[in-house]
């Protein structure tokens, strides 16, 4: 029974000694140790330069080269004191990760030696060869130049020996080739429109920022077992594997005690994240075995997006140090929950008021109502686009399964906010209605103090739920760059707020008072966006029918959902807010379709290889063992007795044969289908063909492989099984 599988399983179940970090200081002391944050800038920069930098942040004006030079000198000094020798621009191309290209701080001194040098020009811009990054045809191959430019709103940091500079990445002709550039434009748009609306209530508001608090779910698997699963290695998910007899049905993993080896990993991860200025707060087991979550405290949206990208790469790195692999795929294992990344979103004024939180006075609550309603209007107007913003080949496995939001975007408000909206819609007077805040509940349990109950309840099935002082966009995938959904969300709400202000201004210009004008427009909007509100069970079939009746987008095919980016409504919104142009949107869709077809193509190839190299040889070998046994029985016993004694094995041989015949035929057919559709040149049509014609083979072939896994002798099966992959000891 000595197979690769048994060796790796044995290794995995031995307890490994791992490095346990022991920082002497408290987190508040090492928080931000490797970040050139404001406090350090204040210390290292001349006062005048520091003031200029602050002004760049508050006004959004571009940085001049002289100031950049002074900042670069201070950064270099700090970075060298910290032991850094290299510098890189760190950007988010339209792939799944981040990109970097390191340069040493070295220059000729032109006297035969070298000096440590880092100029303001290098801080402000670099020219990475852009031809190897996806551009959707924006940048033709003869114009390979791309530019990365520092984003002063996201502080530089050090990883290892390298100073990392967060940057935007654009083409020679100025189109965005990344996620950050359009995100910053969407955030500027929501700032403009929300500030204008805030001033109906408080003339002193200067700025509104968007907040993002993400919750990152992930799986850990033992590194040895991972290495023995080519499908995990190459596609990030298991393409086969029968369900473990026990997985999550006992509900005993969620919030359960964290296994010691995992706790050590989490501690190490958190220390490193805190040192990089990421405010880690929450960690716990998730619903599925081996599934966990990390959530920091919310931050300004642009910074939070960078921090999430950083955490995802840290997770992968730290996991390997602890003998694990971190799986960020949305559905690494069939039959158990997948991973999402809830994005908690709200708006805050420069005065610190959370605009999505109820206030104390009726006027505060009118403002609260305005922001709730206009958020709903944005989601309603662009519900198909919201779905497109979270859709991918990998997240498609999770949506609509019995754990994650359905592939229909709707919003849950809870009983109290629903009643509040209804009463405003129906009321005919201009008197303001107040909203009950949190209330105390006396619990009838000895020694337990009174607790306060939120004015929202919870609904796990809603893709976009109001949760007391924020909306939680729950459909986002665990692997996604949050910027994708944040660009759409902030743009859609910016558009709704702009239209709200235009109508209020028009009514006031006609002589209507401020509050009646606001209430008038809100009543219209509450009525108009009613179809997006749904508090029921999002998993039910009745909801699918009801949603279609309401005119919500019910498409489930990933490549077709991407079409929503090119709807005239979407293009008009993005262009009018200055977030993205038609050309940029078209280019991005080319990349989305291309990525989709390549992912399915890789999965299909990997499955084909596994079938021919593992599954069929193993099943055939076991079949021979059985046949051998039947032959021996026949040689030993009388024909009648042999027939009786071998009947079970004869039936098993037939069953194995039925499965292997199906599998080999289907693999051949899948390969022929790939060859045929690969001739399609149009990216959209190719993606659609992969979705409709190639992807279904993955499921049908898997079904028969999983049946074989149950039949074949355990010792012969070469690939680690779910029951081994899913239970860390
Ligand atoms: P859960 O939704 O699982 O109960 P938590 O209560 O831990 O999760 O909060 C999830 C995230 O929401 C955290 O990152 C938290 O900082 C963030 N959050 C809390 N309030 C706001 C807000 N007003 N705007 C944006 N994010 C917020
Ligand atoms: Mg949550």
């Amino acid at each position: 029974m000595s197979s690769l599988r048994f060796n790796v399983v044995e290794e995995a179940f031995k307890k490994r000694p791992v490095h346990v970090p022991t920082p002497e200081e408290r987190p508040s002391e090492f928080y931000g140790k490797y970040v050139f944050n404001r406090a350090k800038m204040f210390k290292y920069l001349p006062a005048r330069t520091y003031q200029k930098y602050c002004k760049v942040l508050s006004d959004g004006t571009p940085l001049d080269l002289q100031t950049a030079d002074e900042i670069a000198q201070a950064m270099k000094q700090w970075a060298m004191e910290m032991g850094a020798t290299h510098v890189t621009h760190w950007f988010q191309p339209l792939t799944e990760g981040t990109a970097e290209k390191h340069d040493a701080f070295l220059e000729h001194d032109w006297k035969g030696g070298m000096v440590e040098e880092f100029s303001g020009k290098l801080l402000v811009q670099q020219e990475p060869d852009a031809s190897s990054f996806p551009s959707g045809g924006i940048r033709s191959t003869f114009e390979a130049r791309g530019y990365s430019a520092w984003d002063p709103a996201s502080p530089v940091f050090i990883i290892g020996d390298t100073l990392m500079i967060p940057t935007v990445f654009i083409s020679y002709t100025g189109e965005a080739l990344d996620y950050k550039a359009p995100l910053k434009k969407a955030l500027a748009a929501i700032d403009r429109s929300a500030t204008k609306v805030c001033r109906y209530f408080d003339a002193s508001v200067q700025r509104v920022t968007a907040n993002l608090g993400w919750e990152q779910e992930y799986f850990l698997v033992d590194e040895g077992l991972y290495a023995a699963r080519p499908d995990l290695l190459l596609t990030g998910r298991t393409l086969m594997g029968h369900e473990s007899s026990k997985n999550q049905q006992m509900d005993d993993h969620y919030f359960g005690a964290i296994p010691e080896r995992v706790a050590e990993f989490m501690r190490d991860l958190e220390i490193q994240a805190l040192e990089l200025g990421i405010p880690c707060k929450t960690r716990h087991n998730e619903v599925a075995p081996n599934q966990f979550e990390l959530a920091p405290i919310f931050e300004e949206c642009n910074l939070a997006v960078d921090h999430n990208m950083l955490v995802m790469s840290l997770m992968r790195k730290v996991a390997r140090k602890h003998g694990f692999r971190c799986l960020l795929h949305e559905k690494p294992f069939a039959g158990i929950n997948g991973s999402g990344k809830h994005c908690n979103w709200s708006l805050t004024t420069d005065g610190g008021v959370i605009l999505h939180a109820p206030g104390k006075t009726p006027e505060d609550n009118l403002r609260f109502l305005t922001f709730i309603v206009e958020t709903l209007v944005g989601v309603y107007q662009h519900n198909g686009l919201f779905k497109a913003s979270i859709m991918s080949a990998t997240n498609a496995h999770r949506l609509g399964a019995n754990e994650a939001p359905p592939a229909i975007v709707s919003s849950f408000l809870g009983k109290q906010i629903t009643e509040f909206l209804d009463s405003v819609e129906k009321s005919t007077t201009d008197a303001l209605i107040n909203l009950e805040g949190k209330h105390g509940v006396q619990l009838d349990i000895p020694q337990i103090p009174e607790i306060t109950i939120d004015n929202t309840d919870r609904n796990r099935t809603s893709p976009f739920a109001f949760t007391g002082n924020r909306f939680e966009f729950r459909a986002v995938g665990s692997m996604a760059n949050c910027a994708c959904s944040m660009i759409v969300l902030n743009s859609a709400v910016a558009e709704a707020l702009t239209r709200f202000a235009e109508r209020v201004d028009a009514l006031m210009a006609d002589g209507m008072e401020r509050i009646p004008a606001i209430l008038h427009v809100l009543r219209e909007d509450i009525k108009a966006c009613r179809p997006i509100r749904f508090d029921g069970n999002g998993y039910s079939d009745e909801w699918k029918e009801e949603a279609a009746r309401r005119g919500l987008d019910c498409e489930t095919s990933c490549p077709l959902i991407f079409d929503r980016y090119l709807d005239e409504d979407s293009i008009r919104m993005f262009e009018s807010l200055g977030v993205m142009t038609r050309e940029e949107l078209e280019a991005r869709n080319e990349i989305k379709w291309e990525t989709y077809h390549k992912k399915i193509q890789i999965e299909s190839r990997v499955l084909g290889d596994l079938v021919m190299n593992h599954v069929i040889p193993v099943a055939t070998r076991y079949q021979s063992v059985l046949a051998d046994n039947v032959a021996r029985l026949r040689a030993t016993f009388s024909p009648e007795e042999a027939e009786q004694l071998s009947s079970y094995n004869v039936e098993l041989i037939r069953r194995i044969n039925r499965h292997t015949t199906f599998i080999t035929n289907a693999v051949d057919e899948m390969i022929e289908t790939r060859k045929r559709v690969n001739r399609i040149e149009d990216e959209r049509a190719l993606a659609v063909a992969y979705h409709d014609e190639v992807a279904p083979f993955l499921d049908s072939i898997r079904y028969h492989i999983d049946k074989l896994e149950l039949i074949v002798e355990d010792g012969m099966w070469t690939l680690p099984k779910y029951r081994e992959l899913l239970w860390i000891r």
Side-chain angles (χ1 to χ4, degrees):
M1 268 229 290
S2 116
S3 66
L4 169 67
R5 169 160 156 256
F6 276 84
N7 293 340
V8 293
V9 169
E10 204 171 293
E11 264 315 296
F13 287 174
K14 274 187 210 155
K15 176 125 181 61
R16 293 154 189 256
V18 290
H19 160 83
V20 184
T22 50
E24 286 83 46
E25 318 103 295
R26 280 183 291 196
S28 57
E29 286 160 35
F30 58 80
Y31 177 71
K33 180 173 165 189
Y34 293 116
V35 185
F36 196 57
N37 53 21
R38 281 222 187 189
K40 280 175 207 140
M41 287 191 131
F42 183 75
K43 184 171 149 205
Y44 282 80
L45 283 173
R48 192 178 37 82
T49 316
Y50 179 75
Q51 278 156 12
K52 272 198 195 157
Y53 167 76
C54 293
K55 205 164 148 45
V56 165
L57 288 195
S58 57
D59 303 356
T61 48
L63 194 70
D64 66 86
L65 254 189
Q66 195 203 333
T67 312
D69 238 338
E70 286 164 4
I71 295 176
Q73 292 324 307
M75 272 179 193
K76 184 186 74 178
Q77 189 194 341
W78 169 75
M80 284 174 51
E81 282 170 21
M82 298 294 290
T85 54
H86 286 66
V87 56
T88 183
H89 277 199
W90 180 75
F91 54 100
Q92 300 166 23
L94 298 167
T95 57
E96 266 151 18
T98 52
E100 46 197 78
K101 169 180 158 241
H102 299 196
D103 287 318
F105 282 135
L106 279 183
E107 287 296 339
H108 284 296
D109 69 356
W110 303 114
K111 294 179 205 130
M114 301 291 273
V115 287
E116 273 81 20
E117 206 31 86
F118 175 45
S119 68
K121 174 137 191 320
L122 185 58
L123 168 65
V124 174
Q125 90 181 53
Q126 237 186 1
E127 287 181 35
D129 178 351
S131 57
S132 309
F133 294 106
S135 73
I138 274 182
R139 192 210 49 243
S140 48
T141 25
F142 59 84
E143 184 43 84
R145 258 179 302 177
Y147 293 92
S148 53
W150 182 37
D151 169 18
S154 186
V156 303
F157 53 93
I158 293 175
I159 290 188
D161 61 5
T162 305
L163 177 66
M164 316 282 284
I165 301 175
T167 57
V168 295
F169 183 43
I170 54 170
S171 76
Y172 179 66
T173 37
E175 290 94 355
L177 296 175
D178 70 349
Y179 289 104
K180 195 188 247 292
L183 175 66
K184 286 187 72 81
K185 291 176 179 174
L187 292 171
I190 193 99
D191 175 15
R192 283 192 306 271
S193 58
T195 302
K196 170 144 184 26
V197 171
C198 279
R199 287 192 183 145
Y200 291 127
F201 304 94
D202 175 357
S204 74
V205 172
Q206 295 294 319
R207 250 202 108 170
V208 172
T209 45
N211 307 310
L212 168 62
W214 42 264
E215 303 164 53
Q216 179 72 50
E217 295 181 344
Y218 60 97
F219 279 86
L220 290 176
V221 291
D222 188 273
E223 192 166 36
L225 299 174
Y226 172 88
R229 288 286 311 220
D231 48 354
L232 269 184
L233 202 98
L234 297 177
T235 72
R237 73 174 179 116
T238 52
L239 298 174
M240 59 179 75
H242 197 277
E243 260 186 55
S244 166
S245 309
K246 174 178 191 288
N247 47 49
Q248 64 189 41
Q249 61 272 60
M250 305 295 289
D251 290 331
D252 51 359
H253 194 255
Y254 190 56
F255 285 8
I258 298 171
E260 196 187 336
R261 237 180 107 193
V262 176
E264 283 164 2
F265 155 80
M266 287 177 168
R267 211 163 106 75
D268 202 359
L269 172 66
E270 280 171 22
I271 290 173
Q272 295 196 37
L274 285 162
E275 284 176 343
L276 286 170
I278 303 167
C280 298
K281 170 114 175 150
T282 307
R283 60 181 178 208
H284 59 76
N285 285 4
E286 265 299 328
V287 171
N290 280 17
Q291 194 188 24
F292 307 94
E293 179 182 300
L294 169 87
I297 301 171
F298 70 89
E299 299 178 283
E300 186 280 318
C301 185
N302 172 45
L303 186 61
V305 168
D306 285 359
H307 280 170
N308 181 250
M309 295 309 287
L310 206 48
V311 153
M312 289 196 287
S313 76
L314 263 186
M315 280 177 157
R316 292 193 172 105
K317 204 167 80 184
V318 177
R320 294 178 73 158
K321 215 169 86 192
H322 289 256
F324 292 126
R325 283 302 178 113
C326 175
L327 308 180
L328 293 171
H329 192 289
E330 283 84 359
K331 194 82 177 176
F333 303 100
I336 55 173
N337 279 16
S339 301
K341 178 151 52 199
H342 295 178
C343 284
N344 294 270
W345 172 89
S346 66
L347 299 172
T348 308
T349 66
D350 49 344
V353 174
I354 299 182
L355 296 166
H356 289 94
K360 292 197 175 66
T361 65
E363 176 133 354
D364 282 352
N365 283 326
L366 183 62
R367 183 190 60 208
F368 164 68
L369 182 70
T370 304
F371 279 90
I372 295 292
V373 171
E374 295 313 318
T375 302
L376 293 176
V377 169
V379 183
Y380 173 57
Q381 294 289 343
H382 298 283
N383 70 86
L385 181 61
F386 270 67
K387 189 161 70 186
S389 79
I390 52 92
M391 190 42 85
S392 67
T394 52
N395 202 22
H397 290 288
R398 171 180 162 260
L399 297 174
N402 220 25
E403 73 213 37
I408 299 165
V409 171
S410 65
S411 184
F412 167 88
L413 292 180
K415 185 161 166 283
Q416 201 189 1
I417 306 296
T418 298
E419 282 169 4
F420 185 38
L421 259 61
D422 290 347
S423 62
V424 172
E425 184 187 338
K426 286 192 204 97
S427 75
T428 44
T429 71
D430 292 333
L432 295 180
I433 305 156
N434 212 354
L435 178 68
E436 254 179 71
K438 289 188 181 188
H439 58 284
V441 173
Q442 189 69 49
L443 296 176
D444 197 14
I445 314 171
Q447 297 176 334
I448 302 295
E450 173 183 284
I451 61 169
T452 55
I453 302 284
D454 257 326
N455 49 20
T456 58
D457 23 5
R458 295 227 153 196
N459 177 329
R460 293 262 158 216
T461 71
S462 177
F464 196 81
F466 180 68
T467 51
N469 62 357
R470 61 190 186 269
F471 279 94
E472 189 170 333
F473 196 1
R474 299 211 185 104
V476 183
S478 51
M479 207 158 75
N481 184 323
C482 312
C484 224
S485 50
M486 287 300 118
I487 290 167
V488 167
L489 171 55
N490 287 293
S491 301
V493 178
E495 182 193 64
L497 288 168
T498 306
R499 289 184 180 164
F500 168 84
E502 282 163 7
R503 283 172 294 156
V504 171
D505 283 354
L507 291 175
M508 284 165 64
D510 282 349
M512 201 186 264
E513 291 287 319
R514 176 179 61 102
I515 288 186
I518 291 173
L519 278 170
H520 181 87
V521 175
L522 282 179
R523 282 191 191 110
E524 276 176 13
D525 285 351
I526 293 173
K527 254 192 221 84
C529 72
R530 188 172 270 286
I532 200 73
R533 284 160 53 190
F534 177 65
D535 281 10
N537 176 9
Y539 297 158
S540 68
D541 286 334
E542 298 86 75
W543 169 232
K544 284 185 201 142
E545 288 158 26
E546 166 70 18
R549 269 197 300 277
R550 292 186 187 190
L552 298 178
D553 192 300
C554 297
E555 181 58 60
T556 56
S557 156
C558 175
L560 296 182
I561 288 170
F562 292 152
D563 287 348
R564 300 287 73 77
Y565 272 104
L566 300 181
D567 286 347
E568 284 309 312
D569 252 8
S570 308
I571 296 175
R572 196 178 314 118
M573 171 185 84
F574 286 127
E575 288 196 328
S576 71
L577 297 170
V579 174
M580 280 186 278
T581 62
R582 181 186 294 270
E583 290 71 31
E584 284 171 311
L585 288 160
E586 285 171 351
R588 274 161 196 262
N589 261 30
E590 291 291 301
I591 298 170
K592 284 179 198 294
W593 285 316
E594 186 185 339
T595 308
Y596 179 84
H597 112 246
K598 284 185 175 164
K599 288 214 161 184
I600 306 294
Q601 187 178 46
I602 292 170
E603 290 188 347
S604 153
R605 285 179 176 165
V606 171
L607 188 66
D609 292 352
L610 283 176
V611 160
M612 298 321 288
N613 301 331
H614 289 254
V615 178
I616 298 299
V618 166
T620 317
R621 200 173 337 134
Y622 185 52
Q623 212 177 23
S624 305
V625 171
L626 294 172
D628 206 34
N629 175 265
V630 173
R632 283 170 194 231
L633 290 172
R634 287 193 178 147
T636 314
F637 297 94
S638 69
E640 297 76 43
E641 211 175 349
E643 163 111 28
Q644 198 197 346
L645 290 174
S646 62
S647 67
Y648 187 73
N649 281 355
V650 169
E651 180 47 32
L652 269 189
I653 292 171
R654 290 207 181 95
R655 266 164 67 191
I656 291 175
N657 211 60
R658 281 197 292 275
H659 292 305
T660 52
T661 306
F662 180 93
I663 291 171
T664 44
N665 287 341
V667 167
D668 286 347
E669 219 183 304
M670 176 171 76
I671 293 171
E672 284 311 309
T673 310
R674 275 199 332 248
K675 280 189 193 153
R676 178 168 50 78
V677 302
N678 282 349
R679 287 197 283 270
I680 301 175
E681 276 174 19
D682 175 64
E683 280 298 350
R684 179 179 179 279
L686 184 57
V688 171
Y690 263 86
H691 175 274
D692 295 351
E693 297 180 53
V694 180
F697 282 111
L698 296 171
D699 293 332
S700 62
I701 295 172
R702 178 196 180 125
Y703 173 82
H704 290 275
I705 298 176
D706 292 355
K707 290 286 177 213
L708 279 177
E709 188 192 307
L710 287 184
I711 299 174
V712 171
E713 188 220 306
D714 189 54
M716 285 188 179
W717 199 256
T718 51
L719 301 167
K721 297 182 174 180
Y722 270 27
R723 64 167 187 255
E724 292 148 359
L725 288 165
L726 282 172
W727 300 96
I728 286 172
R729 302 193 191 175

